[in-house]
Amino acid sequence: MTRTLSALAVAVALNSFGNFTASADPLPSWAESDSRDRIIEFVAAVTDPQRPEYVTPAERIAVFDNDGTLWAEQPVYFQLIFAMDRLAQMAKDDPSILTTPVLQAAATGDLKTVAEGGHDALIEVLNASHSGVTVDEFQSAVADWLETARHPETELPYDQMTYQPMVELLRYLRDEGFKTYIVSGGGVHFMRVFAEEAYGIPPEQILGTYMDTTYDSADGGPVITKADGIAFVDDKEGKPINIERTIGRRPILAGGNSDGDFAMLEWTTAGDGPRLGVLIHHTDAEREWAYDRESPIGKLVDGLDKGPDMGWVIVDMAQDWSRIYTGAN
Amino acid sequence: MTRTLSALAVAVALNSFGNFTASADPLPSWAESDSRDRIIEFVAAVTDPQRPEYVTPAERIAVFDNDGTLWAEQPVYFQLIFAMDRLAQMAKDDPSILTTPVLQAAATGDLKTVAEGGHDALIEVLNASHSGVTVDEFQSAVADWLETARHPETELPYDQMTYQPMVELLRYLRDEGFKTYIVSGGGVHFMRVFAEEAYGIPPEQILGTYMDTTYDSADGGPVITKADGIAFVDDKEGKPINIERTIGRRPILAGGNSDGDFAMLEWTTAGDGPRLGVLIHHTDAEREWAYDRESPIGKLVDGLDKGPDMGWVIVDMAQDWSRIYTGAN
């Protein structure tokens, strides 16, 4: 009896802290749609102890890709724009760091040349701009960049180009007892700078690509430094591998937008019991960008071909979202 | 005002769920000692919003080594005993897997030969016994082993050889708003089988050494398989590197027992603000084992030489603990 009353007290107390109640709309930026209904129905099913689909809170793990799923990724991953801006700034102090044509192009903002260099060029730019610096210094540089940099088309700060419907979904899931994670091809040190404020996701729930780091006991105290070389690429099969390794539980909900997320959604939804895969389809050329099968960034083929048969919710951005960016209506 | 009342309601409700109140002893298996007083004083300082040392709950990260810190590690790491037992069982079905003298020795329980082979022999035994199996199958094998295997000296199940004072410390820290993690040289898949029940630590808060794994979309659904080769060794400098990479926050409390934990305690206690390093010194030859500077397992030199000057609490097991194992008085 005491236990029941206490549980009630917690429920009431938590409710008065929350920013919506059961009667309010948890997803106000989602239009009335099948996508929205299916998400809400899934959450209702797994959180109701009276239903056979009920899942204990500890197992309510939800994982989300970042680029193209929680924030925009056009004309190119924002972290690459940061890398090029940083390289330009570093070259002001010491132009000799631009040792190759790719790095020289990157420092002038010549995205075309960098893109034509493919994967090797990308790694070259990331290594040159992201290594030889302590984690603390690197994260200060990211924070400074986010303060001043503006997107070339929207002119918004990059961390205002988060998708408001997804920010609402993350909050809704947490309010319903889910633990929300990012599992992204982006770098962990980059994302941790803004993810807690932008998404409410703390550092320890951010999985991503990471570089080697070194630990050194210096005179002024030990430091951890970003080294040359990518230690782990958190993309494609790397996503379920990283989830298994780091979280150690299979999620019950996964959200993504490209074929880099296919394995993560496959791994999530192939588990026993209720599962939900959510795929964001970029269909809105007017308010955002429309791209899928042919895009060099966020290419989506397998998800469109196989996702519907696997029961995944395919979100049509143009139809299903009444608002796009957190930073603009 | 409503906010204050709600906070109060949560506090009261949580208290009635907890298994002790402020007036009960949170560390009943710790003897009256300087170690015990310093731990309690630290926790009191960082959890009192009125004190300058106050730390917000989100930053109350506590990390612990496992072998020799949370459970015993003599005559050799329990995971190696499991590996040898498993190799013997596998060889029953197929003796041809014992391709080298080291593997043949391991399968007969000849610890001396394995130990003489050093690091290479250890890796050989781990690879042969831990790879080519799905994570699910591997964890079932660990669970079966824990059910039946008994320690050669104490005759206890291995998961009853956890240290009761440390189990109490973990619970006490969580009750005071800390998030408790294991950061161990042991394998993540091995530890996750028993750590939640034994220590109250969920899979996503267990960091350790891990092997490469592969993700395969099989006909019966995707599987993750343990592959040959150690991907990351979570020992020495690897511990702060893994904490930084995975948790992304510097802990405020770290516990260990060997020089493999030195960098983790150094990293933790070199941070700004209140910090606590706790080093378990194995001094009890009667109830457990007495070992430090000369031991091949759990060697402790740097911690004894430098720890006191760095303000670390050096726990004298014989003096400071009134009880050792969870499974025996």
Side-chain angles (χ1 to χ4, degrees), chain B residues 74-75 77 115 291-299:
Chain B
Q74 297 289 356
Y77 303 123
Y291 58 97
D292 46 42
R293 295 175 186 272
E294 305 296 331
S295 176
I297 301 285
K299 185 175 178 174

Side-chain angles (χ1 to χ4, degrees), chain B residues 230-302:
Chain B
I230 310 270
F232 184 81
V233 178
D234 191 49
D235 195 31
K236 299 192 174 73
E237 288 75 15
K239 292 198 176 200
I241 284 173
N242 202 7
I243 289 169
E244 197 288 316
R245 175 182 288 172
T246 309
I247 305 177
R249 306 188 200 256
R250 199 190 287 221
I252 65 166
L253 189 158
N257 77 297
S258 80
D259 285 348
D261 304 314
F262 187 86
M264 175 168 79
L265 268 71
E266 180 186 55
W267 173 246
T268 298
T269 58
D272 294 333
R275 306 275 162 170
L276 193 67
V278 177
L279 209 50
I280 309 301
H281 188 192
H282 291 264
T283 52
D284 196 327
E286 197 176 320
R287 295 182 301 172
E288 209 237 2
W289 289 270
Y291 58 97
D292 46 42
R293 295 175 186 272
E294 305 296 331
S295 176
I297 301 285
K299 185 175 178 174
L300 179 64
V301 177
D302 286 352

Side-chain angles (χ1 to χ4, degrees), chain A:
Chain A
M1 185 63 184
T2 305
R3 205 175 171 85
T4 310
L5 281 176
S6 298
L8 196 67
V10 170
V12 169
L14 288 177
N15 232 357
S16 69
F17 276 125
N19 42 14
F20 70 87
T21 62
S23 59
D25 182 356
L27 299 174
S29 299
W30 289 68
E32 293 289 335
S33 62
D34 184 53
S35 297
R36 184 181 184 285
D37 291 347
R38 287 186 58 200
I39 290 169
I40 289 177
E41 164 54 22
F42 176 81
V43 172
V46 300
T47 55
D48 181 350
Q50 305 305 319
R51 291 182 60 164
E53 301 96 330
Y54 179 72
V55 174
T56 58
E59 296 287 344
R60 289 182 208 154
I61 305 285
V63 291
F64 292 88
D65 169 57
N66 185 43
D67 296 307
T69 299
L70 299 183
W71 77 353
E73 60 180 351
Q74 296 290 355
V76 74
Y77 303 123
F78 296 170
Q79 189 174 354
L80 182 57
I81 301 176
F82 161 75
M84 292 168 64
D85 286 353
R86 179 167 161 80
L87 207 55
Q89 195 168 28
M90 290 164 72
K92 273 190 204 161
D93 295 335
D94 179 8
S96 74
I97 64 167
L98 304 176
T99 50
T100 69
V102 164
L103 294 181
Q104 286 154 19
T108 62
D110 175 3
L111 199 55
K112 191 165 167 286
T113 301
V114 175
E116 282 168 3
H119 184 258
D120 288 350
L122 188 72
I123 300 292
E124 202 176 326
V125 173
L126 286 177
N127 270 337
S129 57
H130 283 53
S131 68
V133 61
T134 69
V135 171
D136 288 347
E137 290 163 352
F138 177 81
Q139 294 191 314
S140 292
V142 175
D144 289 347
W145 178 79
L146 285 171
E147 282 289 318
T148 55
R150 296 294 178 268
H151 189 276
E153 294 188 38
T154 66
E155 295 179 353
L156 286 169
Y158 289 96
D159 56 359
Q160 295 285 305
M161 290 180 68
T162 51
Y163 300 134
Q164 179 62 20
M166 297 305 282
V167 172
E168 291 168 5
L169 176 56
L170 290 168
R171 191 188 299 143
Y172 170 49
L173 291 172
R174 287 192 297 268
D175 285 339
E176 296 290 341
F178 281 75
K179 203 164 175 178
T180 54
Y181 284 85
I182 291 176
V183 181
S184 167
V188 289
H189 295 140
F190 182 79
M191 292 187 287
R192 282 178 179 148
V193 176
F194 60 89
E196 188 148 24
E197 190 172 331
Y199 307 129
I201 298 182
E204 63 267 33
Q205 282 157 233
I206 297 173
L207 282 61
T209 293
Y210 50 82
M211 303 176 75
D212 281 314
T213 49
T214 59
Y215 177 86
D216 302 287
S217 284
D219 279 346
V223 290
I224 293 180
T225 304
K226 288 169 79 71
D228 223 36
I230 310 270
F232 184 81
V233 178
D234 191 50
D235 195 32
K236 300 192 172 74
E237 288 77 14
K239 293 200 176 199
I241 284 173
N242 203 6
I243 289 169
E244 196 288 316
R245 177 182 287 172
T246 308
I247 305 177
R249 306 186 200 255
R250 199 190 286 221
I252 65 167
L253 190 158
N257 76 299
S258 80
D259 285 348
D261 304 314
F262 186 87
M264 177 168 78
L265 268 70
E266 179 186 57
W267 173 245
T268 298
T269 58
D272 295 332
R275 307 275 162 169
L276 194 68
V278 177
L279 210 50
I280 309 302
H281 189 191
H282 291 263
T283 53
D284 195 328
E286 198 175 321
R287 297 182 301 171
E288 208 237 4
W289 289 271
Y291 60 97
D292 46 41
R293 294 174 186 274
E294 306 295 332
S295 176
I297 299 285
K299 184 175 179 175
L300 179 64
V301 178
D302 287 352
L304 289 178
D305 290 344
K306 302 177 191 166
D309 282 348
M310 297 170 90
W312 300 352
V313 172
I314 314 292
V315 174
D316 181 331
M317 273 177 82
Q319 297 289 328
D320 297 348
W321 288 359
S322 57
R323 176 176 166 182
I324 305 285
Y325 300 125
T326 303
N329 283 305

